[in-house]
Amino acid sequence: MQQYQEHKFSIAPMMEWTDRHCRAFHRQLTRHALLYTEMVTTGAVIHGDRQHLLGFSDIEHPVACQLGGSDPKDMAEAARIVADFGYDEVNINVGCPSDRVQSGRFGACLMEEPTLVAACVEAMKAAVDIPVTVKCRIGVDEQDPEAALDAMADAVFAAGADALWVHARKAWLKGLSPKENRDIPPLDYERVLRLKQRLPDRFIGLNGGLQTLDQAEPFLETLDGLMFGRAAYHTPQIMGEVDRRLYGASGPDVSPWDAVKAHMAYLEEQLGKGVKLAHMTRHMLGLFHGRPGARSWRRILTVEAIKPGAGLEVVEKALAAVSPAGAELAAAE
């Protein structure tokens, strides 16, 4: 647990969102939060284009890779590949409810097979030295969340898991879409708190429906970590407060303007490698949410970043439109 204790805050793995460019941007807002990849399947890791799937920048540390799979041998092999790439953690997806994931026998359907998940944890722990963690739901379909979550937690911790992140909702594999599964099943934070009270010496982190640090921070009186998802993606300025509030960092919070200024070097480097500006700036659209000029910021990035040859001048123009402070920053670049 000592190796994992520092991760009081993390950004959830989100398909089609938390790619390497998203993570590099988020890192400009917080130096300490644990960042996650999108879920990648064991088959893709073992047989696919590993550099495309797993490549990342050194600035992203600490960064974790989430794997989807259920064969212990394949999970161990994929974990070795992930560790060799330099990731700080490997995580098992036991929470995604999509049909494609179910057909592959991984994701939330594994809530019904805690002994299989434990076998994966055991095989992965034997294969790598980095932490092996699990992200799960509180249950699926007609399962009793009391019994289901206890069974999963006991199994994976007995197998050596370093942490359990719990999305505090059931997943309904029959009748709800993945999108509906993120909103319709009711949140049950108390169930996660009871798990922690039963397992006080284990790292238990909370995910699901967390919107602000004011709402979420009190959970750290009992739990070990907070995992933000869509709220952090759509309003990333939340992350600018994390280092001070949760990690005791000195100095002021990271402002949206500071984050953009710090991110310019990364954008320039990636543009030089042929990455399209829009592939990177799409993750930045919500940065100034609720501030004067936010609509102009989004419009300029959305419309002009997709044009052929779009470069840093688009970001500077968008920044200048946000506010007088943003205009001063853009002029200083």
Side-chain angles (χ1 to χ4, degrees), residues 70-126:
S70 59
D71 179 89
K73 180 174 178 290
D74 288 348
M75 292 291 278
E77 183 176 353
R80 279 193 293 268
I81 294 167
V82 165
D84 288 344
F85 261 80
Y87 281 90
D88 300 292
E89 173 192 319
V90 60
N91 176 269
I92 304 174
N93 183 321
V94 189
C96 182
S98 77
D99 292 339
R100 182 177 69 84
V101 166
Q102 291 179 57
S103 67
R105 201 186 176 196
F106 55 92
C109 64
L110 289 176
M111 287 298 299
E112 298 177 321
E113 300 187 75
T115 56
L116 178 58
V117 179
C120 291
V121 170
E122 186 175 14
M124 294 162 72
K125 288 292 291 184

Side-chain angles (χ1 to χ4, degrees), residues 134-145:
V134 176
K135 184 173 184 288
C136 70
R137 295 282 185 133
I138 61 173
V140 294
D141 296 338
E142 301 300 335
Q143 281 186 321
D144 175 2

Side-chain angles (χ1 to χ4, degrees), residues 52-70:
H52 174 72
L53 289 168
L54 299 176
F56 68 97
S57 302
D58 286 343
I59 63 171
E60 295 174 40
H61 289 294
V63 58
C65 179
Q66 187 183 66
L67 291 176
S70 59

Side-chain angles (χ1 to χ4, degrees), residues 4-330:
Y4 203 80
Q5 223 165 2
E6 61 181 321
H7 299 311
K8 292 181 179 179
F9 187 90
S10 66
I11 303 300
M14 293 177 279
M15 294 299 293
E16 299 185 0
W17 285 3
T18 52
D19 64 19
R20 62 183 301 175
H21 305 306
C22 175
R23 299 191 305 267
F25 167 56
H26 286 175
R27 184 55 73 213
Q28 308 304 341
L29 288 150
T30 167
R31 296 297 175 198
H32 297 289
L34 179 64
L35 306 180
Y36 275 83
T37 68
E38 305 167 85
M39 182 195 70
V40 290
T41 65
T42 54
V45 170
I46 294 169
H47 304 293
D49 183 345
R50 295 173 186 174
Q51 186 58 46
H52 174 72
L53 289 168
L54 299 176
F56 68 97
S57 302
D58 286 343
I59 63 171
E60 295 174 40
H61 289 294
V63 58
C65 179
Q66 187 183 66
L67 291 176
S70 59
D71 179 89
K73 180 174 178 290
D74 288 348
M75 292 291 278
E77 183 176 353
R80 279 193 293 268
I81 294 167
V82 165
D84 288 344
F85 261 80
Y87 281 90
D88 300 292
E89 173 192 319
V90 60
N91 176 269
I92 304 174
N93 183 321
V94 189
C96 182
S98 77
D99 292 339
R100 182 177 69 84
V101 166
Q102 291 179 57
S103 67
R105 201 186 176 196
F106 55 92
C109 64
L110 289 176
M111 287 298 299
E112 298 177 321
E113 300 187 75
T115 56
L116 178 58
V117 179
C120 291
V121 170
E122 186 175 14
M124 294 162 72
K125 288 292 291 184
V128 300
D129 293 326
I130 61 175
V132 174
T133 66
V134 176
K135 184 173 184 288
C136 70
R137 295 282 185 133
I138 61 173
V140 294
D141 296 338
E142 301 300 335
Q143 281 186 321
D144 175 2
E146 295 297 324
L149 185 57
D150 278 353
M152 181 59 65
D154 290 346
V156 300
F157 282 129
D162 294 279
L164 182 67
W165 291 94
V166 184
H167 184 155
R169 304 178 196 269
K170 268 190 172 185
W172 287 92
L173 305 180
K174 304 164 188 173
L176 292 182
S177 70
K179 181 178 184 301
E180 290 169 331
N181 263 299
R182 292 193 293 267
D183 296 300
I184 292 177
L187 287 161
D188 190 353
Y189 295 141
E190 291 298 321
R191 177 64 193 95
V192 185
L193 293 171
R194 288 196 298 276
L195 178 67
K196 176 61 183 179
Q197 288 162 356
R198 189 173 72 82
L199 300 173
D201 297 327
R202 302 296 191 177
F203 186 106
I204 308 291
L206 180 66
N207 173 233
L210 300 177
Q211 299 294 318
T212 68
L213 289 179
D214 285 344
Q215 169 216 5
E217 193 171 0
F219 286 114
L220 290 177
E221 295 175 7
T222 303
L223 298 168
D224 302 293
L226 306 170
M227 178 180 280
F228 275 53
R230 286 169 290 162
Y233 187 87
H234 290 306
T235 55
Q237 58 186 279
I238 289 172
M239 289 178 275
E241 302 178 25
V242 163
D243 291 356
R244 174 183 58 83
R245 292 181 61 166
L246 302 187
Y247 292 91
S250 59
D253 293 341
V254 180
S255 75
W257 294 275
D258 289 338
V260 175
K261 183 176 181 180
H263 197 43
M264 285 293 195
Y266 177 86
L267 296 175
E268 184 174 26
E269 176 191 20
Q270 295 298 313
L271 287 167
K273 295 178 179 179
V275 178
K276 302 295 186 185
L277 183 66
H279 292 171
M280 299 180 282
T281 55
R282 71 186 183 96
H283 303 300
M284 303 167 64
L285 297 179
L287 181 60
F288 291 95
H289 178 78
R291 295 176 182 265
R295 182 178 299 179
S296 296
W297 163 263
R298 293 192 302 271
R299 177 182 54 77
I300 292 169
L301 291 185
T302 301
V303 173
E304 299 193 21
I306 62 173
K307 294 179 179 178
L312 295 183
E313 72 283 350
V314 174
V315 181
E316 292 167 350
K317 179 180 178 181
L319 195 60
V322 177
S323 73
E328 292 173 7
L329 176 60

